[in-house]
Amino acid sequence: MKLAHIACAGVLLLAGSAAAQDGGKSNSMTAMTKTTISLGTATPGGGFPLYGNAFAEVMNAADPTLSIEPRNTKGSNENIPLLESDQLDIGLVAGEPSYEAFMGIGRPATKLKILTAMYSSPGMFVVRADSPYKTIRDLVGQPVAFGAKGSGLPILSRYMLDGIGLKQDEDFKSIYLDRAGDGPAMVQDGRAAALWGAGIGWPGFETMAKAPGGARFIVPDAGEIARIRAKHTYLKPLTIPANSYPNQTAAIDSLGSWSFILVRESLPDDTAYRLAKTLHGIEVTLCKKLPQACETTAANTVAAAPNVGLIHPGVMKYFKEIGVVK
């Protein structure tokens, strides 16, 4: 979607009218051009719409000439082709779909670029606290909600399960949701034994943890983590700190990746520069707005990118100015 330029918040007053008002002095105002940016998120009830709405609100407040407009999509696997066909300006994409697109796994390598790393996404299963399931293998043969169709979550789980010799659609009764927000109710009423998700502040985990009776999280054990990393080296050890969720008193170690805001290849350098400068000027404000957005930093973007050449040139220009890259 091409950037829309809209005249707003100021017009040139007619000379005659201005003269009548101030005795002949010119009282013109320079018209402000507002740049509208379309932002693809995901289905309602998931982490991407939560993040995208907070991102847009804080960015729009910081730069009145920006109008970032979030829009619900089917998630990562829809956002990528929408960006590639210029139907979105920027889009939220999970780590695994990003990695596959950048590396050309199962498809031609994408020419999309990174605006910023969003947050790390350690993957976990959540079950009712009164359920009998304690390990991943306990869930074999059970109905498991692996996330919304088109989102990156089922891809992360598929890689992790593959690393320990399990097949998502053969060893489990896999459920793929139309809306990410539908998962917790399915676990609570028994239609699913577990819900798969990822990250800190993920809405599905919050809902489960706050439900009557509480919840329990299931992750790979140390041996399974080693096996997964040996097979899928791009997955990183990540920790969910204690008390990230209600009644979660101990830190949880798992594996995962970083989600990104990607931009269409044709996004002008000056627009990407402006977005990066605005974003990293309000990192503290975004962090206060949404805890998981505390990881949205320039330094994390450089560290999380598969290589810095995938970061948009306009963003790199700003990073060089602030000394994050040489």
Side-chain angles (χ1 to χ4, degrees), residues 204-216:
F205 289 161
E206 288 278 358
T207 301
M208 286 292 298
K210 291 177 179 177
R216 181 170 59 251

Side-chain angles (χ1 to χ4, degrees), residues 132-140 216 218-219 221 224:
Y133 312 111
K134 303 290 179 63
T135 69
I136 293 176
R137 291 195 177 274
D138 288 343
L139 294 170
V140 169
R216 181 170 59 251
I218 297 175
V219 295
D221 63 28
E224 289 171 333

Side-chain angles (χ1 to χ4, degrees), residues 3-112:
L3 300 177
H5 297 284
I6 309 166
C8 70
V11 296
L12 296 178
L13 300 178
L14 294 175
S17 175
Q21 294 290 328
D22 62 12
K25 294 180 180 179
S26 173
N27 190 29
S28 66
M29 297 172 61
T30 303
M32 183 191 302
T33 299
K34 180 166 284 197
T35 302
T36 300
I37 305 283
S38 57
L39 165 63
T41 61
T43 60
F48 275 11
L50 186 69
Y51 181 97
N53 291 337
F55 172 85
E57 183 179 333
V58 172
M59 289 284 284
N60 291 343
D63 185 349
T65 68
L66 280 177
S67 178
I68 297 176
E69 299 181 349
R71 133 183 174 202
N72 291 122
T73 66
K74 294 178 182 177
S76 300
N77 288 339
E78 183 178 34
N79 289 343
I80 290 172
L82 288 175
L83 287 164
E84 289 176 325
S85 59
D86 284 3
Q87 295 180 70
L88 285 175
D89 296 313
I90 63 179
L92 311 186
V93 182
E96 287 67 42
S98 297
Y99 178 80
E100 291 182 348
F102 286 138
M103 298 298 114
I105 297 173
R107 49 152 294 148
T110 191
K111 295 181 180 179
L112 302 179

Side-chain angles (χ1 to χ4, degrees), residues 5 27 34 41 62 72 81 97 101 117 120 137 143 145 149 158 179 184 193 200 232 281 296 320 324:
H5 297 284
N27 190 29
K34 180 166 284 197
T41 61
N72 291 122
S120 58
R137 291 195 177 274
K149 302 170 184 174
R158 190 169 285 115
R179 291 164 49 96
I200 298 168
H232 301 297
T296 305
K320 289 175 182 177
V324 174

